[in-house]
Amino acid sequence: MQQAQDFYDESQALASLVTPLSDVDFAQRTQFKGWTIDQILRHLHVWNVAAGLSLQAPEAFDAFVLSMAADLKGGRLPDFEARYLDGLSGEKLRSVWIEKARDLAVAFGDADPKARLKWVGPLLPKTISSNRCLCFCCGKVSCIRLCVILNINF
């Protein structure tokens, strides 16, 4: 499925932008909601994980959503995402994120494009993988457009 390859290409483009950064740089605030680079990558990674669960383990996806909903009561999404990833940050986060993005692209590439997937409403694999132009969770910017928003000063 072309959308799966496009997703991975976008992910690689973003990874190439943040690869030169030090762990300290990942704590830098961006113009995107004032989130740090770590928070943005955690957000992308957590929702990539959720997309993989929806595709490969729907019951685990249900458990993820319930866990998130319970954890978010009175909290913020970036805080849930940091806890979910045990505070993973910096270069290690970038490395895990891009490796898992590759795995997700392969899984979506092999998926039946007409299968219905759980989300906050059922979606087709083609729709989920092409919606990486928008964040799975919040429907905001794409990985590639994130480059502009990050406004990283190297």
Side-chain angles (χ1 to χ4, degrees):
M1 183 174 7
Q2 182 60 46
Q3 290 84 352
Q5 184 60 50
D6 293 344
F7 157 75
Y8 187 58
D9 291 346
E10 281 190 354
S11 297
Q12 284 184 302
L14 178 57
S16 71
L17 284 174
V18 298
T19 294
L21 300 179
S22 71
D23 283 345
V24 171
D25 293 328
F26 280 84
Q28 177 179 301
R29 295 230 172 260
T30 70
Q31 295 175 8
F32 180 70
K33 299 181 182 185
W35 287 11
T36 65
I37 296 167
D38 271 333
Q39 288 173 316
I40 292 168
L41 287 183
R42 280 188 205 118
H43 183 74
L44 294 173
H45 182 54
V46 165
W47 294 98
N48 286 353
V49 169
L53 292 174
S54 179
L55 178 66
Q56 299 171 320
E59 298 80 20
F61 174 78
D62 291 341
F64 168 85
V65 171
L66 289 173
S67 169
M68 178 199 60
D71 192 80
L72 278 179
K73 289 182 180 174
R76 296 178 46 236
L77 190 57
D79 297 333
F80 160 74
E81 293 160 345
R83 283 188 296 276
Y84 184 80
L85 296 175
D86 293 324
L88 188 62
S89 63
E91 171 55 28
K92 179 123 174 96
L93 170 62
R94 186 205 63 79
S95 179
V96 169
W97 162 69
I98 197 63
E99 177 185 333
K100 297 300 181 185
R102 182 188 66 237
D103 296 345
L104 185 61
V106 169
F108 271 99
D110 293 341
D112 175 358
K114 294 183 181 180
R116 301 294 286 178
L117 301 180
K118 292 182 177 186
W119 203 247
V120 185
L123 295 173
L124 299 171
K126 181 177 179 179
T127 304
I128 280 190
S129 59
S130 65
N131 273 354
R132 283 311 289 163
C133 292
L134 298 175
C135 169
F136 281 143
C137 174
C138 62
K140 299 293 182 189
V141 302
S142 73
C143 291
I144 209 87
R145 291 184 196 128
L146 200 54
C147 306
V148 174
I149 291 171
L150 283 174
N151 193 25
I152 300 170
N153 298 316
F154 296 106

